[in-house]
Every structure is written in structure tokens, then in C-alpha cells.
Amino acid sequence: MLNFLPGSILFALSTLLLIINTALWSSLIFVGGLIKLLVPISAFRNVLTLIMNRFMWGWACCNGGILYLIAKIEWDIEGLEGLKKDGWYLLISNHLSGFDIAALTYVLRNNIPMLKFFLKKELIFVPFLGLGCWALDMPFMNRTSAKQLRKNPKLKGKDLETTRRSCEKFKTIPTSIINYVEGSRFTQEKHARQRSPYRYLLRPKAGGIAFTISAMGEQFTNLLNVTLVYPDSKNDTLAEVMHGKVKRIVIRIETLPVPEVDNTRYFNDAECRAQFQRWLNGVWQQKDEQIHQILLKYNSAQLVSEQVESTSNAQ
């Protein structure tokens, strides 16, 4: 444990270690992706995919080792019971920091399949990144703009068909896909601009998760509603973690049934979309209250601790 070192040294050390860790595992994934690209045999590619997922697991484990080295973090986690490595899960989560992915992949690495993300199809052409994501079987999706649909109505429904085809492989390979329904990380500026009705969350967007369920709904065994809180983080959580300042990470996982989405009705019926949005708003309202209770619990505990320390010093 090196958390006794000054924050600036911890930041430099953690930055170096994170770069080395990411470069090592991403290089292995890239090489695996080249082999996978050159050998178009399904059975062989499936084996390579499992190996690539183990590389991602190794990356997550090493991230945990770096955290242990630079910070004394207390993990307060509830809801891991009953999760399975051979299950199919759709995760929705609030989004606070660039550290969120590292935290969730580390915590969930031995409980569910490694997390995957829906990516825009254009990213597949980005050097190294595109091949690495393809090697990990990240699903690429095509989103036709409203302008393109007006110009060519025949494109309607093609996005869903394309996404379904890209997800065919997941019928035989257990998969976890995460969707940040707020669309971006929470900031006070975004919160104010949206006039969000929630205290700690941005407004959730139903379109992305509805699209995912439409494409893969029958494959998911459960929906995991994940709530992430850093009670003692004030501003940039990632920077604070790397400075060794974050002392506690709270994660709550709620296992829910996957909501049904009739893709024919959803994309053509405004009331159907409104009903699904109301369901998601209800989930977000409960999440907001849960975050509030977590913060009350730990802020009260911190206040009592400070009062006890102050009394002890006075004596």
C-alpha cells in the first residue's frame, strides 16, 4: 500500500501503471484480433473470443491491483448474489466518471460475462481500436439519421435488422451489455441545463435501451439496474482516485426482469414509447432516492467521525 505517498506522486505512479496495463492487454487483444480476422473458421473464432475475454478479465484484475496499491478503498457492494458467469445480462447504470467502467468491470469480473458496449459502426475503422473491439465481439450498430430516413423511407427498420445480425453470435456465447441511459456523464452543468427532476441524475433516454431490447431482448435473462456512488468524491472522480483520495465506492445491483418491447409498436406508436419512458423514469426515480439514502448514511457517519475526532483532540 503506497497511499502514504503525496497525491502528486500517486497520480504519476497510477498513470504510468494504467498506461502499461492498458497497453499490455490491448496489444494482446489486437494480436488476437489479427489472427481472428485471418482465420474465418467459426469454431476457432469462438475459442479466440473466449481468450480475448480473458485478456479483458486480466485488464480488470490488474486495475484492481493498481487500486489496491495506490489507495485504501472500501468496497460497499450489494446484489451480486444469484448472478451467473454463463448468463445473458443487460445493464443500465448511472454515469459519473471515466472511472466507472474500470470499477464495474473489476467488481463484476467474476460474476457475469465481461461487459460489452454497443458501438457506432464508424468506430470499426479506427486503427487498433476498431479491430480490438471487433476481436472482443463488441456489437457495432448502424443508426440512420432522421434526415436520411426522410430522404429514403426504405431504410426504416434496417438499423434493427443490422444490429440483430451483429448480435447473432451472442445466442451461443454468454454476454453482458451495458447501456448508459443518461447518454453522458453527470455534471452539475448538464443537470441544470436539462432541468432534471432528479437530485443526482440526468434525465434517462429510453431510445437506446429500447433499441437494444428490440434487437436482443429474447437473449437476455435479466436486466441489472446498477447504482454507483462515490460518497467522498467532490469533483473529478477519476483524478481523485488516481491521487489516492477516494476512500469508498458503493455499488448496488438490482436484478429485474427484462421489459418487453414490441419493436413494431414501439417505433411506430407514440403512446407505446411514452409508456416505456414512464417505466424508465420510475426506475430512475427509485435510483435517485437510493443515492440520496446512501449519501445520507455515509455523510452522517463522516460527520460523527469528525465530531469524535474533534472531541478527542480537544481533550
Side-chain angles (χ1 to χ4, degrees):
M1 294 278 273
L2 301 177
N3 57 306
F4 63 89
L5 295 172
S8 57
I9 294 178
L10 288 176
F11 182 81
L13 178 62
S14 59
T15 299
L16 176 63
L17 292 175
L18 287 171
I19 290 174
I20 293 172
N21 183 40
T22 302
L24 170 64
W25 295 108
S26 60
S27 297
L28 292 172
I29 291 170
F30 178 75
V31 172
L34 283 176
I35 298 172
K36 189 175 177 179
L37 185 64
L38 295 172
V39 184
I41 302 173
S42 296
F44 181 74
R45 283 184 167 185
N46 287 340
V47 171
L48 273 179
T49 295
L50 295 176
I51 295 173
M52 300 300 104
N53 284 332
R54 291 302 289 179
F55 287 161
M56 190 172 178
W57 178 87
W59 173 78
C61 289
C62 289
N63 282 337
I66 294 169
L67 284 177
Y68 180 80
L69 186 65
I70 66 170
K72 188 177 181 181
I73 292 178
E74 175 189 335
W75 294 86
D76 179 358
I77 305 166
E78 294 180 6
L80 293 175
E81 306 81 15
L83 300 182
K84 299 177 181 179
K85 285 284 288 183
D86 58 353
W88 281 259
Y89 298 102
L90 172 61
L91 283 75
I92 56 174
S93 175
N94 59 317
H95 195 11
L96 299 170
S97 162
F99 178 68
D100 295 356
I101 292 298
L104 290 179
T105 52
Y106 174 67
V107 167
L108 296 170
R109 71 195 187 283
N110 293 324
N111 296 278
I112 64 174
M114 292 306 296
L115 295 177
K116 301 185 188 301
F117 315 86
F118 270 110
L119 303 172
K120 294 179 180 179
K121 68 171 186 177
E122 290 79 10
L123 290 177
I124 200 169
F125 301 109
V126 176
F128 301 105
L129 175 65
L131 183 59
C133 291
W134 177 80
L136 288 166
D137 275 349
M138 300 285 183
F140 290 90
M141 57 190 283
N142 181 41
R143 296 303 296 269
T144 304
S145 68
K147 182 178 178 181
Q148 290 172 314
L149 281 175
R150 286 194 298 269
K151 189 174 181 180
N152 186 1
K154 292 182 179 180
L155 294 175
K156 188 173 183 179
K158 294 294 184 182
D159 293 351
L160 194 58
E161 292 176 14
T162 301
T163 303
R164 279 178 172 162
R165 284 196 300 271
S166 72
C167 295
E168 282 292 320
K169 61 178 80 75
F170 299 140
K171 289 184 177 180
T172 57
I173 300 176
T175 303
S176 301
I177 292 181
I178 187 168
N179 189 307
Y180 286 115
V181 297
E182 293 167 300
S184 64
R185 300 171 194 167
F186 177 93
T187 66
Q188 289 297 338
E189 180 185 357
K190 294 174 186 175
H191 184 268
R193 188 167 63 246
Q194 286 188 357
R195 297 183 180 178
S196 173
Y198 313 104
R199 289 164 290 187
Y200 311 102
L201 301 166
L202 301 179
R203 292 179 182 271
K205 301 174 182 178
I209 181 176
F211 187 89
T212 304
I213 294 173
S214 296
M216 291 185 61
E218 70 281 358
Q219 297 181 43
F220 293 123
T221 52
N222 289 103
L223 183 143
L224 301 182
N225 176 29
V226 179
T227 301
L228 185 60
V229 184
Y230 307 102
D232 53 0
S233 176
K234 305 302 180 184
N235 296 300
D236 186 342
T237 300
L238 177 59
E240 290 178 353
V241 168
M242 295 173 70
H243 278 91
K245 294 181 179 179
V246 172
K247 306 301 181 185
R248 182 177 289 110
I249 299 173
V250 181
I251 298 177
R252 298 288 182 264
I253 304 164
E254 181 185 16
T255 302
L256 300 172
V258 180
E260 293 185 9
V261 174
D262 185 322
N263 61 285
T264 302
R265 284 193 60 213
Y266 183 86
F267 296 105
N268 295 282
D269 185 346
E271 176 54 33
C272 184
R273 292 193 295 273
Q275 183 179 354
F276 188 80
Q277 183 70 62
R278 285 193 292 270
W279 168 81
L280 184 57
N281 290 345
V283 172
W284 236 236
Q285 186 63 56
Q286 294 175 9
K287 185 186 294 290
D288 195 57
E289 179 60 27
Q290 185 179 47
I291 293 172
H292 183 66
Q293 295 303 320
I294 290 170
L295 292 175
L296 280 179
K297 171 186 174 181
Y298 283 111
N299 288 341
S300 297
Q302 179 65 25
L303 180 60
V304 170
S305 176
E306 291 175 355
Q307 289 174 340
V308 170
E309 184 178 352
S310 177
T311 302
S312 177
N313 291 337
Q315 292 174 347

Short mmCIF file of all heavy atoms in Angstrom, two decimals, residues 94-151:
data_model
loop_
_atom_site.label_atom_id
_atom_site.label_comp_id
_atom_site.label_asym_id
_atom_site.label_seq_id
_atom_site.Cartn_x
_atom_site.Cartn_y
_atom_site.Cartn_z
N ASN A 94 -26.22 4.57 -13.74
CA ASN A 94 -25.89 6.00 -13.77
C ASN A 94 -24.41 6.13 -14.15
O ASN A 94 -23.63 5.19 -14.03
CB ASN A 94 -26.18 6.65 -12.42
CG ASN A 94 -25.41 6.02 -11.27
OD1 ASN A 94 -25.30 4.80 -11.16
ND2 ASN A 94 -24.88 6.85 -10.39
N HIS A 95 -24.04 7.32 -14.62
CA HIS A 95 -22.69 7.51 -15.17
C HIS A 95 -22.09 8.78 -14.56
O HIS A 95 -22.59 9.88 -14.81
CB HIS A 95 -22.78 7.64 -16.68
CG HIS A 95 -21.47 7.49 -17.39
ND1 HIS A 95 -20.32 7.04 -16.78
CD2 HIS A 95 -21.12 7.75 -18.69
CE1 HIS A 95 -19.33 7.01 -17.66
NE2 HIS A 95 -19.79 7.44 -18.81
N LEU A 96 -21.03 8.59 -13.76
CA LEU A 96 -20.45 9.71 -13.01
C LEU A 96 -19.06 10.11 -13.47
O LEU A 96 -18.67 11.26 -13.33
CB LEU A 96 -20.39 9.35 -11.52
CG LEU A 96 -21.72 9.07 -10.82
CD1 LEU A 96 -21.48 8.51 -9.43
CD2 LEU A 96 -22.55 10.35 -10.74
N SER A 97 -18.29 9.14 -14.00
CA SER A 97 -16.87 9.40 -14.19
C SER A 97 -16.28 8.46 -15.22
O SER A 97 -16.83 7.39 -15.51
CB SER A 97 -16.15 9.22 -12.84
OG SER A 97 -14.77 9.05 -13.00
N GLY A 98 -15.10 8.84 -15.73
CA GLY A 98 -14.34 7.96 -16.59
C GLY A 98 -13.82 6.75 -15.85
O GLY A 98 -13.33 5.78 -16.46
N PHE A 99 -13.94 6.74 -14.53
CA PHE A 99 -13.51 5.61 -13.71
C PHE A 99 -14.59 4.53 -13.62
O PHE A 99 -14.30 3.40 -13.22
CB PHE A 99 -13.15 6.11 -12.30
CG PHE A 99 -12.74 5.04 -11.34
CD1 PHE A 99 -11.56 4.34 -11.52
CD2 PHE A 99 -13.55 4.73 -10.26
CE1 PHE A 99 -11.19 3.35 -10.63
CE2 PHE A 99 -13.18 3.74 -9.36
CZ PHE A 99 -11.99 3.05 -9.54
N ASP A 100 -15.83 4.85 -14.01
CA ASP A 100 -16.96 3.93 -13.82
C ASP A 100 -16.71 2.56 -14.46
O ASP A 100 -17.00 1.53 -13.86
CB ASP A 100 -18.24 4.53 -14.41
CG ASP A 100 -18.69 5.79 -13.66
OD1 ASP A 100 -18.06 6.14 -12.65
OD2 ASP A 100 -19.67 6.41 -14.11
N ILE A 101 -16.22 2.56 -15.70
CA ILE A 101 -16.02 1.30 -16.41
C ILE A 101 -15.01 0.41 -15.69
O ILE A 101 -15.22 -0.80 -15.52
CB ILE A 101 -15.55 1.55 -17.86
CG1 ILE A 101 -16.68 2.20 -18.66
CG2 ILE A 101 -15.12 0.25 -18.53
CD1 ILE A 101 -17.92 1.34 -18.79
N ALA A 102 -13.90 1.01 -15.25
CA ALA A 102 -12.88 0.24 -14.53
C ALA A 102 -13.46 -0.34 -13.24
O ALA A 102 -13.20 -1.50 -12.88
CB ALA A 102 -11.67 1.11 -14.22
N ALA A 103 -14.27 0.46 -12.53
CA ALA A 103 -14.87 0.00 -11.27
C ALA A 103 -15.83 -1.16 -11.51
O ALA A 103 -15.78 -2.18 -10.82
CB ALA A 103 -15.58 1.16 -10.58
N LEU A 104 -16.70 -1.03 -12.51
CA LEU A 104 -17.71 -2.05 -12.75
C LEU A 104 -17.11 -3.34 -13.31
O LEU A 104 -17.51 -4.44 -12.93
CB LEU A 104 -18.79 -1.52 -13.69
CG LEU A 104 -19.72 -0.45 -13.10
CD1 LEU A 104 -20.73 0.02 -14.14
CD2 LEU A 104 -20.43 -0.96 -11.86
N THR A 105 -16.16 -3.21 -14.24
CA THR A 105 -15.54 -4.43 -14.79
C THR A 105 -14.78 -5.18 -13.70
O THR A 105 -14.77 -6.42 -13.67
CB THR A 105 -14.58 -4.12 -15.95
OG1 THR A 105 -13.65 -3.10 -15.54
CG2 THR A 105 -15.34 -3.65 -17.18
N TYR A 106 -14.16 -4.45 -12.77
CA TYR A 106 -13.43 -5.10 -11.68
C TYR A 106 -14.39 -5.82 -10.73
O TYR A 106 -14.20 -6.99 -10.40
CB TYR A 106 -12.61 -4.07 -10.91
CG TYR A 106 -11.94 -4.64 -9.68
CD1 TYR A 106 -10.92 -5.58 -9.81
CD2 TYR A 106 -12.35 -4.26 -8.41
CE1 TYR A 106 -10.30 -6.12 -8.68
CE2 TYR A 106 -11.75 -4.80 -7.27
CZ TYR A 106 -10.73 -5.73 -7.41
OH TYR A 106 -10.14 -6.27 -6.31
N VAL A 107 -15.46 -5.14 -10.33
CA VAL A 107 -16.40 -5.72 -9.37
C VAL A 107 -17.16 -6.90 -9.95
O VAL A 107 -17.40 -7.90 -9.26
CB VAL A 107 -17.39 -4.63 -8.89
CG1 VAL A 107 -18.57 -5.24 -8.14
CG2 VAL A 107 -16.67 -3.63 -8.00
N LEU A 108 -17.53 -6.82 -11.23
CA LEU A 108 -18.39 -7.83 -11.85
C LEU A 108 -17.62 -8.92 -12.59
O LEU A 108 -18.23 -9.84 -13.13
CB LEU A 108 -19.36 -7.16 -12.82
CG LEU A 108 -20.36 -6.19 -12.19
CD1 LEU A 108 -21.09 -5.40 -13.27
CD2 LEU A 108 -21.37 -6.94 -11.32
N ARG A 109 -16.29 -8.85 -12.61
CA ARG A 109 -15.48 -9.71 -13.49
C ARG A 109 -15.68 -11.20 -13.23
O ARG A 109 -15.53 -12.02 -14.15
CB ARG A 109 -13.99 -9.36 -13.34
CG ARG A 109 -13.38 -9.78 -12.00
CD ARG A 109 -12.06 -9.11 -11.73
NE ARG A 109 -11.42 -9.64 -10.53
CZ ARG A 109 -11.78 -9.33 -9.29
NH1 ARG A 109 -12.79 -8.49 -9.07
NH2 ARG A 109 -11.14 -9.85 -8.25
N ASN A 110 -15.99 -11.58 -11.98
CA ASN A 110 -16.15 -13.00 -11.64
C ASN A 110 -17.60 -13.41 -11.46
O ASN A 110 -17.87 -14.53 -11.01
CB ASN A 110 -15.37 -13.33 -10.36
CG ASN A 110 -13.87 -13.22 -10.55
OD1 ASN A 110 -13.34 -13.54 -11.60
ND2 ASN A 110 -13.17 -12.73 -9.53
N ASN A 111 -18.52 -12.51 -11.79
CA ASN A 111 -19.94 -12.78 -11.53
C ASN A 111 -20.80 -12.84 -12.79
O ASN A 111 -21.82 -13.54 -12.80
CB ASN A 111 -20.49 -11.71 -10.59
CG ASN A 111 -19.84 -11.74 -9.23
OD1 ASN A 111 -20.20 -12.54 -8.37
ND2 ASN A 111 -18.86 -10.88 -9.02
N ILE A 112 -20.41 -12.11 -13.82
CA ILE A 112 -21.15 -12.12 -15.08
C ILE A 112 -20.14 -12.08 -16.22
O ILE A 112 -18.95 -11.82 -15.99
CB ILE A 112 -22.12 -10.92 -15.19
CG1 ILE A 112 -21.34 -9.59 -15.22
CG2 ILE A 112 -23.13 -10.90 -14.06
CD1 ILE A 112 -22.22 -8.36 -15.47
N PRO A 113 -20.56 -12.37 -17.45
CA PRO A 113 -19.63 -12.23 -18.59
C PRO A 113 -19.07 -10.81 -18.66
O PRO A 113 -19.71 -9.85 -18.22
CB PRO A 113 -20.50 -12.55 -19.81
CG PRO A 113 -21.61 -13.39 -19.26
CD PRO A 113 -21.88 -12.87 -17.88
N MET A 114 -17.87 -10.67 -19.22
CA MET A 114 -17.23 -9.35 -19.31
C MET A 114 -18.13 -8.39 -20.09
O MET A 114 -18.77 -8.76 -21.07
CB MET A 114 -15.87 -9.46 -20.01
CG MET A 114 -14.83 -10.22 -19.20
SD MET A 114 -14.59 -9.58 -17.50
CE MET A 114 -13.96 -7.93 -17.84
N LEU A 115 -18.15 -7.15 -19.62
CA LEU A 115 -19.05 -6.14 -20.18
C LEU A 115 -18.70 -5.80 -21.63
O LEU A 115 -17.54 -5.70 -22.01
CB LEU A 115 -18.99 -4.87 -19.34
CG LEU A 115 -19.51 -4.97 -17.91
CD1 LEU A 115 -19.31 -3.65 -17.18
CD2 LEU A 115 -20.97 -5.37 -17.88
N LYS A 116 -19.75 -5.59 -22.42
CA LYS A 116 -19.60 -5.13 -23.80
C LYS A 116 -20.48 -3.90 -23.99
O LYS A 116 -21.39 -3.63 -23.20
CB LYS A 116 -20.01 -6.23 -24.79
CG LYS A 116 -19.19 -7.51 -24.65
CD LYS A 116 -19.53 -8.52 -25.73
CE LYS A 116 -18.85 -9.86 -25.46
NZ LYS A 116 -17.39 -9.76 -25.41
N PHE A 117 -20.17 -3.14 -25.05
CA PHE A 117 -20.88 -1.90 -25.32
C PHE A 117 -21.33 -1.88 -26.77
O PHE A 117 -20.61 -2.34 -27.66
CB PHE A 117 -19.96 -0.69 -25.08
CG PHE A 117 -19.17 -0.76 -23.81
CD1 PHE A 117 -17.96 -1.43 -23.76
CD2 PHE A 117 -19.64 -0.17 -22.66
CE1 PHE A 117 -17.23 -1.52 -22.59
CE2 PHE A 117 -18.93 -0.26 -21.49
CZ PHE A 117 -17.72 -0.92 -21.45
N PHE A 118 -22.49 -1.32 -27.03
CA PHE A 118 -22.88 -1.05 -28.40
C PHE A 118 -22.04 0.13 -28.91
O PHE A 118 -21.94 1.16 -28.25
CB PHE A 118 -24.37 -0.69 -28.49
CG PHE A 118 -25.25 -1.88 -28.69
CD1 PHE A 118 -26.10 -2.32 -27.69
CD2 PHE A 118 -25.24 -2.57 -29.90
CE1 PHE A 118 -26.92 -3.42 -27.88
CE2 PHE A 118 -26.05 -3.67 -30.11
CZ PHE A 118 -26.89 -4.10 -29.10
N LEU A 119 -21.44 -0.04 -30.07
CA LEU A 119 -20.58 0.99 -30.63
C LEU A 119 -21.09 1.41 -32.01
O LEU A 119 -21.68 0.60 -32.73
CB LEU A 119 -19.14 0.47 -30.77
CG LEU A 119 -18.48 -0.04 -29.48
CD1 LEU A 119 -17.16 -0.72 -29.82
CD2 LEU A 119 -18.28 1.08 -28.50
N LYS A 120 -20.85 2.65 -32.36
CA LYS A 120 -21.19 3.12 -33.70
C LYS A 120 -20.33 2.38 -34.72
O LYS A 120 -19.13 2.16 -34.50
CB LYS A 120 -20.96 4.62 -33.82
CG LYS A 120 -21.88 5.46 -32.94
CD LYS A 120 -21.58 6.93 -33.09
CE LYS A 120 -22.49 7.77 -32.21
NZ LYS A 120 -22.19 9.22 -32.33
N LYS A 121 -20.92 2.02 -35.85
CA LYS A 121 -20.20 1.20 -36.84
C LYS A 121 -18.96 1.91 -37.36
O LYS A 121 -17.99 1.27 -37.77
CB LYS A 121 -21.12 0.86 -38.01
CG LYS A 121 -21.53 2.04 -38.88
CD LYS A 121 -22.25 1.59 -40.13
CE LYS A 121 -22.52 2.78 -41.06
NZ LYS A 121 -23.15 2.37 -42.32
N GLU A 122 -18.95 3.26 -37.32
CA GLU A 122 -17.80 4.01 -37.82
C GLU A 122 -16.53 3.73 -37.02
O GLU A 122 -15.41 3.85 -37.53
CB GLU A 122 -18.09 5.52 -37.80
CG GLU A 122 -19.12 5.99 -38.81
CD GLU A 122 -20.55 5.71 -38.39
OE1 GLU A 122 -20.75 5.31 -37.21
OE2 GLU A 122 -21.47 5.88 -39.21
N LEU A 123 -16.70 3.32 -35.74
CA LEU A 123 -15.53 3.09 -34.89
C LEU A 123 -14.72 1.86 -35.33
O LEU A 123 -13.56 1.73 -34.95
CB LEU A 123 -15.97 2.91 -33.43
CG LEU A 123 -16.50 4.17 -32.74
CD1 LEU A 123 -16.96 3.84 -31.33
CD2 LEU A 123 -15.44 5.26 -32.71
N ILE A 124 -15.33 0.98 -36.09
CA ILE A 124 -14.60 -0.21 -36.52
C ILE A 124 -13.44 0.14 -37.45
O ILE A 124 -12.48 -0.62 -37.61
CB ILE A 124 -15.55 -1.23 -37.21
CG1 ILE A 124 -14.92 -2.63 -37.19
CG2 ILE A 124 -15.89 -0.80 -38.64
CD1 ILE A 124 -15.87 -3.73 -37.60
N PHE A 125 -13.49 1.33 -38.05
CA PHE A 125 -12.43 1.75 -38.97
C PHE A 125 -11.32 2.54 -38.27
O PHE A 125 -10.34 2.93 -38.90
CB PHE A 125 -13.03 2.60 -40.10
CG PHE A 125 -14.09 1.87 -40.90
CD1 PHE A 125 -15.42 2.22 -40.79
CD2 PHE A 125 -13.74 0.82 -41.73
CE1 PHE A 125 -16.40 1.56 -41.51
CE2 PHE A 125 -14.71 0.14 -42.45
CZ PHE A 125 -16.04 0.51 -42.34
N VAL A 126 -11.46 2.77 -36.96
CA VAL A 126 -10.41 3.46 -36.21
C VAL A 126 -9.25 2.50 -35.99
O VAL A 126 -9.44 1.39 -35.47
CB VAL A 126 -10.95 3.97 -34.85
CG1 VAL A 126 -9.82 4.61 -34.05
CG2 VAL A 126 -12.09 4.94 -35.07
N PRO A 127 -8.04 2.87 -36.39
CA PRO A 127 -6.89 1.96 -36.25
C PRO A 127 -6.73 1.43 -34.83
O PRO A 127 -6.88 2.18 -33.87
CB PRO A 127 -5.70 2.84 -36.66
CG PRO A 127 -6.30 3.87 -37.57
CD PRO A 127 -7.66 4.16 -37.01
N PHE A 128 -6.43 0.15 -34.71
CA PHE A 128 -6.21 -0.55 -33.45
C PHE A 128 -7.49 -0.67 -32.62
O PHE A 128 -7.87 -1.76 -32.22
CB PHE A 128 -5.09 0.13 -32.62
CG PHE A 128 -3.78 0.19 -33.32
CD1 PHE A 128 -3.32 1.39 -33.87
CD2 PHE A 128 -2.99 -0.94 -33.44
CE1 PHE A 128 -2.11 1.44 -34.52
CE2 PHE A 128 -1.78 -0.89 -34.10
CZ PHE A 128 -1.33 0.29 -34.64
N LEU A 129 -8.16 0.46 -32.34
CA LEU A 129 -9.36 0.44 -31.52
C LEU A 129 -10.45 -0.41 -32.17
O LEU A 129 -11.07 -1.26 -31.51
CB LEU A 129 -9.88 1.87 -31.29
CG LEU A 129 -11.22 1.98 -30.54
CD1 LEU A 129 -11.07 1.47 -29.12
CD2 LEU A 129 -11.72 3.43 -30.55
N GLY A 130 -10.69 -0.18 -33.46
CA GLY A 130 -11.75 -0.90 -34.15
C GLY A 130 -11.54 -2.40 -34.14
O GLY A 130 -12.45 -3.18 -33.85
N LEU A 131 -10.30 -2.83 -34.46
CA LEU A 131 -10.01 -4.26 -34.51
C LEU A 131 -10.09 -4.87 -33.12
O LEU A 131 -10.57 -6.00 -32.95
CB LEU A 131 -8.62 -4.49 -35.11
CG LEU A 131 -8.21 -5.96 -35.29
CD1 LEU A 131 -9.19 -6.69 -36.20
CD2 LEU A 131 -6.79 -6.05 -35.85
N GLY A 132 -9.62 -4.13 -32.11
CA GLY A 132 -9.68 -4.64 -30.74
C GLY A 132 -11.11 -4.85 -30.28
O GLY A 132 -11.44 -5.88 -29.69
N CYS A 133 -11.98 -3.88 -30.57
CA CYS A 133 -13.38 -4.00 -30.19
C CYS A 133 -14.05 -5.14 -30.95
O CYS A 133 -14.88 -5.88 -30.39
CB CYS A 133 -14.12 -2.68 -30.44
SG CYS A 133 -13.60 -1.34 -29.33
N TRP A 134 -13.69 -5.29 -32.23
CA TRP A 134 -14.24 -6.39 -33.03
C TRP A 134 -13.78 -7.74 -32.48
O TRP A 134 -14.56 -8.69 -32.40
CB TRP A 134 -13.80 -6.23 -34.48
CG TRP A 134 -14.24 -7.34 -35.38
CD1 TRP A 134 -15.48 -7.51 -35.95
CD2 TRP A 134 -13.45 -8.48 -35.79
NE1 TRP A 134 -15.50 -8.67 -36.70
CE2 TRP A 134 -14.27 -9.29 -36.62
CE3 TRP A 134 -12.14 -8.88 -35.55
CZ2 TRP A 134 -13.82 -10.47 -37.20
CZ3 TRP A 134 -11.69 -10.06 -36.12
CH2 TRP A 134 -12.52 -10.84 -36.94
N ALA A 135 -12.51 -7.82 -32.06
CA ALA A 135 -11.98 -9.06 -31.50
C ALA A 135 -12.71 -9.45 -30.22
O ALA A 135 -12.89 -10.64 -29.93
CB ALA A 135 -10.48 -8.90 -31.22
N LEU A 136 -13.16 -8.45 -29.46
CA LEU A 136 -13.89 -8.70 -28.22
C LEU A 136 -15.37 -8.93 -28.46
O LEU A 136 -16.14 -9.11 -27.52
CB LEU A 136 -13.71 -7.52 -27.26
CG LEU A 136 -12.33 -7.38 -26.62
CD1 LEU A 136 -12.17 -6.01 -25.99
CD2 LEU A 136 -12.10 -8.48 -25.60
N ASP A 137 -15.77 -8.92 -29.74
CA ASP A 137 -17.18 -9.10 -30.12
C ASP A 137 -18.07 -7.99 -29.61
O ASP A 137 -19.24 -8.22 -29.28
CB ASP A 137 -17.71 -10.47 -29.65
CG ASP A 137 -17.39 -11.57 -30.64
OD1 ASP A 137 -16.96 -11.25 -31.77
OD2 ASP A 137 -17.58 -12.75 -30.30
N MET A 138 -17.52 -6.78 -29.51
CA MET A 138 -18.39 -5.64 -29.20
C MET A 138 -19.37 -5.47 -30.36
O MET A 138 -18.95 -5.49 -31.53
CB MET A 138 -17.56 -4.36 -29.03
CG MET A 138 -16.54 -4.41 -27.92
SD MET A 138 -17.28 -4.27 -26.29
CE MET A 138 -15.81 -4.28 -25.24
N PRO A 139 -20.66 -5.33 -30.09
CA PRO A 139 -21.62 -5.20 -31.19
C PRO A 139 -21.58 -3.80 -31.81
O PRO A 139 -21.66 -2.80 -31.10
CB PRO A 139 -22.97 -5.45 -30.51
CG PRO A 139 -22.75 -5.10 -29.08
CD PRO A 139 -21.31 -5.40 -28.77
N PHE A 140 -21.43 -3.74 -33.11
CA PHE A 140 -21.46 -2.46 -33.83
C PHE A 140 -22.86 -2.24 -34.39
O PHE A 140 -23.50 -3.17 -34.90
CB PHE A 140 -20.44 -2.48 -34.98
CG PHE A 140 -19.01 -2.45 -34.50
CD1 PHE A 140 -18.32 -3.63 -34.25
CD2 PHE A 140 -18.37 -1.26 -34.27
CE1 PHE A 140 -17.01 -3.62 -33.81
CE2 PHE A 140 -17.05 -1.22 -33.83
CZ PHE A 140 -16.37 -2.41 -33.59
N MET A 141 -23.33 -1.03 -34.26
CA MET A 141 -24.68 -0.72 -34.69
C MET A 141 -24.69 0.43 -35.68
O MET A 141 -23.82 1.30 -35.67
CB MET A 141 -25.57 -0.38 -33.49
CG MET A 141 -25.07 0.77 -32.64
SD MET A 141 -25.98 0.94 -31.11
CE MET A 141 -27.47 1.70 -31.72
N ASN A 142 -25.68 0.42 -36.55
CA ASN A 142 -25.86 1.48 -37.53
C ASN A 142 -27.10 2.28 -37.15
O ASN A 142 -28.16 1.71 -36.97
CB ASN A 142 -26.03 0.86 -38.93
CG ASN A 142 -26.20 1.94 -40.00
OD1 ASN A 142 -25.52 2.95 -39.94
ND2 ASN A 142 -27.10 1.71 -40.94
N ARG A 143 -26.94 3.58 -36.96
CA ARG A 143 -28.08 4.42 -36.62
C ARG A 143 -28.33 5.40 -37.77
O ARG A 143 -27.54 6.31 -38.02
CB ARG A 143 -27.83 5.20 -35.33
CG ARG A 143 -27.68 4.34 -34.10
CD ARG A 143 -28.89 3.45 -33.84
NE ARG A 143 -30.08 4.19 -33.57
CZ ARG A 143 -30.48 4.55 -32.34
NH1 ARG A 143 -29.76 4.20 -31.30
NH2 ARG A 143 -31.59 5.21 -32.16
N THR A 144 -29.44 5.18 -38.48
CA THR A 144 -29.80 6.05 -39.60
C THR A 144 -30.44 7.33 -39.06
O THR A 144 -31.34 7.27 -38.21
CB THR A 144 -30.80 5.33 -40.53
OG1 THR A 144 -30.21 4.10 -40.96
CG2 THR A 144 -31.11 6.18 -41.74
N SER A 145 -29.98 8.46 -39.52
CA SER A 145 -30.49 9.74 -39.04
C SER A 145 -31.90 10.00 -39.58
O SER A 145 -32.32 9.40 -40.58
CB SER A 145 -29.57 10.88 -39.46
OG SER A 145 -29.60 11.04 -40.87
N ALA A 146 -32.62 10.89 -38.91
CA ALA A 146 -33.97 11.26 -39.35
C ALA A 146 -33.93 11.87 -40.74
O ALA A 146 -34.83 11.64 -41.56
CB ALA A 146 -34.58 12.24 -38.35
N LYS A 147 -32.87 12.60 -41.03
CA LYS A 147 -32.72 13.22 -42.34
C LYS A 147 -32.58 12.15 -43.43
O LYS A 147 -33.18 12.25 -44.50
CB LYS A 147 -31.49 14.14 -42.35
CG LYS A 147 -31.28 14.89 -43.66
CD LYS A 147 -30.07 15.80 -43.56
CE LYS A 147 -29.82 16.53 -44.88
NZ LYS A 147 -28.62 17.41 -44.79
N GLN A 148 -31.79 11.11 -43.14
CA GLN A 148 -31.62 10.03 -44.10
C GLN A 148 -32.91 9.25 -44.32
O GLN A 148 -33.22 8.82 -45.44
CB GLN A 148 -30.51 9.07 -43.62
CG GLN A 148 -29.11 9.66 -43.68
CD GLN A 148 -28.08 8.76 -43.02
OE1 GLN A 148 -28.30 8.24 -41.92
NE2 GLN A 148 -26.95 8.56 -43.68
N LEU A 149 -33.68 9.08 -43.23
CA LEU A 149 -34.97 8.38 -43.36
C LEU A 149 -35.96 9.17 -44.21
O LEU A 149 -36.71 8.58 -44.99
CB LEU A 149 -35.56 8.13 -41.97
CG LEU A 149 -34.97 6.96 -41.18
CD1 LEU A 149 -35.57 6.91 -39.78
CD2 LEU A 149 -35.21 5.64 -41.89
N ARG A 150 -35.96 10.48 -44.03
CA ARG A 150 -36.87 11.31 -44.84
C ARG A 150 -36.49 11.22 -46.31
O ARG A 150 -37.35 11.22 -47.20
CB ARG A 150 -36.83 12.76 -44.36
CG ARG A 150 -37.56 13.00 -43.04
CD ARG A 150 -37.78 14.47 -42.78
NE ARG A 150 -36.52 15.20 -42.67
CZ ARG A 150 -35.88 15.40 -41.53
NH1 ARG A 150 -36.39 14.89 -40.40
NH2 ARG A 150 -34.75 16.07 -41.49
N LYS A 151 -35.20 11.14 -46.55
CA LYS A 151 -34.72 11.08 -47.93
C LYS A 151 -34.97 9.71 -48.55
O LYS A 151 -35.26 9.59 -49.75
CB LYS A 151 -33.21 11.40 -47.95
CG LYS A 151 -32.63 11.58 -49.34
CD LYS A 151 -31.18 12.04 -49.26
CE LYS A 151 -30.60 12.24 -50.65
NZ LYS A 151 -29.18 12.69 -50.58
#
